[in-house]
């Protein structure tokens, strides 16, 4: 309640160890009590950094965002053309002093000491600005809230693509150098030669990579420039044949913020069919069905009552679904774009697992510890080189592998905001050779992004059918904002698992050319 919030602000007023800044990741209707409490903090020498709110409305109608002495922060995003834009949910207007990244933010998660997840909201923008204010305050502890507010605002960059008059946080421009002391710039040495040598294309499958390194000769300080990458990676040129995978799966993302939404959502408008290979895995191929009409109609299907981060248990009766040599008489439909076959799951983002630390779960999966411990420099190199290497694939897709799972589009969705649309289930053709289970996601929004909707369908062929254990996934119009995962998992990551570039590497089911996909339709 606002009473509790006001009490908390006055607790900070009485107990904060100076110098200090306050960060408020919350928003509600305009409250004179909240704004007055922030004024009291300001008068006592504590600047409040306030989230603008996530209602896509004028921040001046909300508290704490409407406080005249708070530094109010909106959320920014990157467009597909790599321009800074306002996050669709972010509040805006004259009360917003500065914007900061607020979509697809990697954050620590409550589910474990090492757990992380991706989140969106001005609640994640405000702490970045609070950190900048604290950085300035660390060098100028006697500065007033007014000066701190001015310095952070002045260090921001004009961002007209966000909104007229908007400014975007720019930590590099923040003056944190004491008077009379000059900034020390980062100095780096020369690159080593690329190594190892690239093998001839006919000698191996997959895409081998080369690396090079350079040393940091002097670390930056006192506001000096950020050091450039010291490890670089590139793929070997040549026509290397993709390695086969027993569990064809693809992660549509990189660590590169400039590539979100993922530019390679080439599954849009396509259908992929998976067929069991005994009980050891699956083969996959691109089916002829293309376009934006689903494989199966779902007008008579049952709409599942699903909330954010939830699953529904579906009992199949006498006709089960064969998976990895076992007949499953129960499946679990997860709200975040998948079906699990061993137990229910509501993990909400590739990169974290609800309830347990990622690091220990990755160990359970038998993933090489060297991969989990990839250094920050290597990660930065992968970002810079724009390579989705095996290191990233292993480290970022752990949750997909922790269950027996069919990932239609594994990312953070919120069916509770679907309105007249949602998630549907229907059993069709029971007792016949075409017996199948149909799970349809119909215009289900991403969490925090109601305009980013996803339509896709998973069709599982039961033991009564002529193709027991097979399944098909069709994708209509989908969003890649949260870097989705697609594919199949046996319940743990095989030690030889590699990423599959599903389109076009797996080939067509007919053996012919890849069918063309018509332009996307506009769907309300």
């Amino acid at each position: 309640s606002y009473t509790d919030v006001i009490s908390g602000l006055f607790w900070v007023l009485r107990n904060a160890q100076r110098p200090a800044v306050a960060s408020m990741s919350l928003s509600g209707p305009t409250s004179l009590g909240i704004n007055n409490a922030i004024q009291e903090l300001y008068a006592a020498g504590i600047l409040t950094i306030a989230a603008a709110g996530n209602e896509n409305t004028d921040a001046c109608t909300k508290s704490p965002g409407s406080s005249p002495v708070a530094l109010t922060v909106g959320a920014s995003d990157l467009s597909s053309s790599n321009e800074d834009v306002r996050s669709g949910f972010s509040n805006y207007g004259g009360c917003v002093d500065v914007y900061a990244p607020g979509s697809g933010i990697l954050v620590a998660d409550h589910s474990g000491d090492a757990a992380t997840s991706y989140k969106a909201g001005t609640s994640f923008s405000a702490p970045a600005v609070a950190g900048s204010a604290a950085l300035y305050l660390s060098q100028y502890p006697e500065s007033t809230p007014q000066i701190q507010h001015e310095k952070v605002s002045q260090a921001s960059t004009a961002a007209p693509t966000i909104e007229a008059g908007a400014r975007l946080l720019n930590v590099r421009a923040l003056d944190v150098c004491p008077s009379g002391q000059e900034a020390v710039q980062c100095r780096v040495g020369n690159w080593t030669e690329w190594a190892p040598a690239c093998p001839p294309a006919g000698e191996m499958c997959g895409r081998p990579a080369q690396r090079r390194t350079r040393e940091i000769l002097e670390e930056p300080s006192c506001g000096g420039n950020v050091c450039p990458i010291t490890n670089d990676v590139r793929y070997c040129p040549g026509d290397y044949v993709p390695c086969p995978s027993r569990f064809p799966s693809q992660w549509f993302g990189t660590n590169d913020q400039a590539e979100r939404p993922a530019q390679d959502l080439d599954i849009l408008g396509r259908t992929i069919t998976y067929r069991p290979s005994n009980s050891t895995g699956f083969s996959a191929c691109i089916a002829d069905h293309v376009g934006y009409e689903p494989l199966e109609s779902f007008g008579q299907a049952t709409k599942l009552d699903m909330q954010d981060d939830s699953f529904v248990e579906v009992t199949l009766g006498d006709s089960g679904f064969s998976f990895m040599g076992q007949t499953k008489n129960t499946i679990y439909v997860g709200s975040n774009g998948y079906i699990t076959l061993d137990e229910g799951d509501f993990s909400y983002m590739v990169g974290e697992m609800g309830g347990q630390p990622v690091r220990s779960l990755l160990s359970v999966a038998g993933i090489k510890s060297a991969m989990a411990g990839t250094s920050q420099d290597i990660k930065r190199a992968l970002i810079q080189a724009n390579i989705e290497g095996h290191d990233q694939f292993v480290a970022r897709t752990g949750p997909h592998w922790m269950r027996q799972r069919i990932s239609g589009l594994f990312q953070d969705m919120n069916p509770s905001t679907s309105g007249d649309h949602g998630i549907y289930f229907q059993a069709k053709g029971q007792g016949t050779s075409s017996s199948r289970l149909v799970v349809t996601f119909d215009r289900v929004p991403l969490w925090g992004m109601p305009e980013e909707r996803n339509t896709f369908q998973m069709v599982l062929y039961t033991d009564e059918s002529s193709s027991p254990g097979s399944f098909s996934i069709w994708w209509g119009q989908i969003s890649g904002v949260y870097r989705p995962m697609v594919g199949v998992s046996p319940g743990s990551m095989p030690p030889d698992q590699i990423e599959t570039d599903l389109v076009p590497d797996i080939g067509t089911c007919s053996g012919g050319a890849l069918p063309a996909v018509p332009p996307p339709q506009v769907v309300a």
Side-chain angles (χ1 to χ4, degrees):
S1 70
Y2 270 170
T3 301
D4 293 333
V5 174
I6 293 169
S7 296
L9 289 170
F10 279 103
W11 185 95
V12 172
L13 180 65
R14 294 189 302 271
N15 296 281
Q17 296 184 20
R18 271 68 165 185
V21 296
S23 181
M24 296 185 70
S25 289
L26 56 95
S27 180
T30 303
S31 164
L32 183 61
I34 292 284
N35 291 357
N36 285 343
I38 293 172
Q39 179 70 52
E40 293 281 348
L41 285 179
Y42 188 85
I46 299 176
L47 175 65
T48 298
I49 289 79
N54 305 328
E55 295 83 14
N56 189 26
T57 191
D58 190 339
C60 292
T61 64
K62 303 292 178 182
S63 282
S66 61
S67 166
V69 297
L71 202 168
T72 300
V73 186
S76 68
D77 197 357
L78 278 174
S79 70
S80 57
S81 57
N82 201 25
E83 286 187 320
D84 293 304
V85 295
R86 181 175 63 88
S87 297
F89 53 79
S90 176
N91 291 348
Y92 51 82
C95 287
V96 177
D97 297 292
V98 66
Y99 283 82
S103 295
I105 305 301
L106 180 64
V107 299
D109 193 85
H110 68 87
S111 57
D113 292 343
T116 60
S117 61
Y118 282 95
K119 293 292 187 180
T122 55
S123 289
F124 305 97
S125 307
V129 176
S132 300
L135 184 63
Y136 179 83
L137 193 57
S138 69
Q139 291 294 339
Y140 301 99
E142 302 301 322
S143 63
T144 65
Q146 179 182 357
I147 295 298
Q148 297 158 30
H149 192 297
E150 290 176 357
K151 290 296 183 179
V152 173
S153 298
Q154 291 169 1
S156 60
T157 303
T161 55
I162 293 178
E163 67 170 324
R167 302 191 68 83
L168 184 66
L169 178 67
N170 184 0
V171 180
R172 292 188 185 185
L174 188 65
D175 176 17
V176 293
C177 193
S179 177
Q181 186 174 338
E182 295 184 357
V184 176
Q185 308 298 333
C186 178
R187 294 193 302 114
V188 295
N190 295 326
W191 286 109
T192 61
E193 296 296 322
W194 289 104
C198 290
E203 290 188 1
M204 63 176 294
C205 66
R207 292 185 291 178
Q210 294 179 302
R211 298 179 185 268
R212 63 177 181 172
T213 62
R214 58 183 174 182
E215 293 183 2
I216 294 178
L217 303 179
E218 187 170 14
E219 295 280 358
S221 62
C222 193
N225 63 309
V226 176
C227 284
I229 63 168
T230 57
N231 287 267
D232 201 3
V233 187
R234 71 179 183 186
Y235 281 130
C236 288
D239 188 17
Y240 291 93
V241 177
C243 295
S245 171
R246 292 181 295 130
F247 302 96
S249 299
Q250 183 173 1
W251 175 49
F252 288 91
T254 72
N255 281 331
D256 184 357
Q257 289 289 321
E259 281 218 341
R260 191 181 49 76
Q263 295 179 351
D264 54 356
L265 277 176
D266 44 16
I267 55 174
L268 188 146
R270 295 198 180 278
T271 303
I272 292 180
T273 296
Y274 287 75
R275 296 187 177 94
S277 300
N278 299 318
S279 60
T280 61
F282 294 82
S283 62
C285 59
I286 302 167
D288 289 336
H289 180 91
V290 295
Y292 303 95
E293 290 297 324
L295 282 169
E296 300 280 349
S297 63
F298 57 96
Q300 302 300 314
T302 299
K303 184 176 181 180
L304 302 179
D305 182 14
M306 302 192 72
Q307 302 302 309
D308 185 31
D309 300 332
S310 63
F311 66 86
V312 169
E313 179 178 327
V314 179
T315 302
L316 304 182
D318 295 334
S319 179
F321 174 70
S322 291
F323 188 86
M324 299 299 297
Q326 297 180 333
T327 296
K328 306 292 183 177
N329 294 109
T330 301
I331 64 172
Y332 305 87
V333 179
S335 64
N336 292 317
Y338 47 74
I339 296 169
T340 51
L341 288 308
D342 46 1
E343 58 181 284
D345 188 24
F346 48 84
S347 298
Y348 54 85
M349 197 59 209
V350 172
E352 68 83 41
M353 275 293 287
Q356 300 187 56
V358 172
R359 187 174 301 167
S360 64
L361 284 170
L362 294 179
S363 299
V364 171
I367 298 173
K368 298 177 181 178
S369 59
M371 296 298 184
T374 302
S375 72
Q376 288 300 114
D377 257 341
I378 295 294
K379 290 179 181 177
R380 285 166 58 191
L382 290 168
I383 294 170
Q384 183 71 17
N386 191 21
I387 287 180
E388 295 179 31
H390 188 59
D391 292 14
Q392 289 193 73
F393 181 67
V394 168
R396 301 298 298 281
T397 65
H400 168 71
W401 305 102
M402 296 305 109
R403 298 279 184 267
Q404 292 182 343
R405 188 188 315 266
I406 297 170
S407 289
L409 198 71
F410 185 175
Q411 60 180 338
D412 195 357
M413 299 187 220
N414 186 3
S416 67
T417 59
S418 297
D420 293 335
H421 310 289
I423 303 174
Y424 298 83
F425 172 81
Q426 186 175 9
K428 290 188 170 185
Q430 292 175 295
T432 72
S433 61
S434 62
S435 175
R436 59 210 185 275
L437 313 171
V438 181
V439 176
T440 305
F441 282 65
D442 178 36
R443 285 168 272 189
V444 178
L446 296 182
W447 181 89
M449 298 185 183
E451 74 283 0
E452 299 284 347
R453 292 178 174 262
N454 298 272
T455 298
F456 58 99
Q457 192 172 73
M458 294 173 279
V459 181
L460 284 58
Y461 297 93
T462 72
D463 291 350
E464 292 180 324
S465 74
S466 57
S467 302
S470 298
F471 61 91
S472 295
I473 309 174
W474 163 83
W475 297 272
Q477 296 194 75
I478 55 178
S479 169
V481 169
Y482 286 149
R483 303 180 179 94
M485 182 77 183
V486 167
V488 59
S489 162
S492 63
M493 178 179 273
D496 59 347
Q497 180 67 33
I498 62 168
E499 185 173 21
T500 302
D501 189 1
L502 294 171
V503 179
D505 286 357
I506 61 175
T508 62
C509 301
S510 64
L514 190 68
V517 176
Q521 299 171 326
V522 177
V523 178

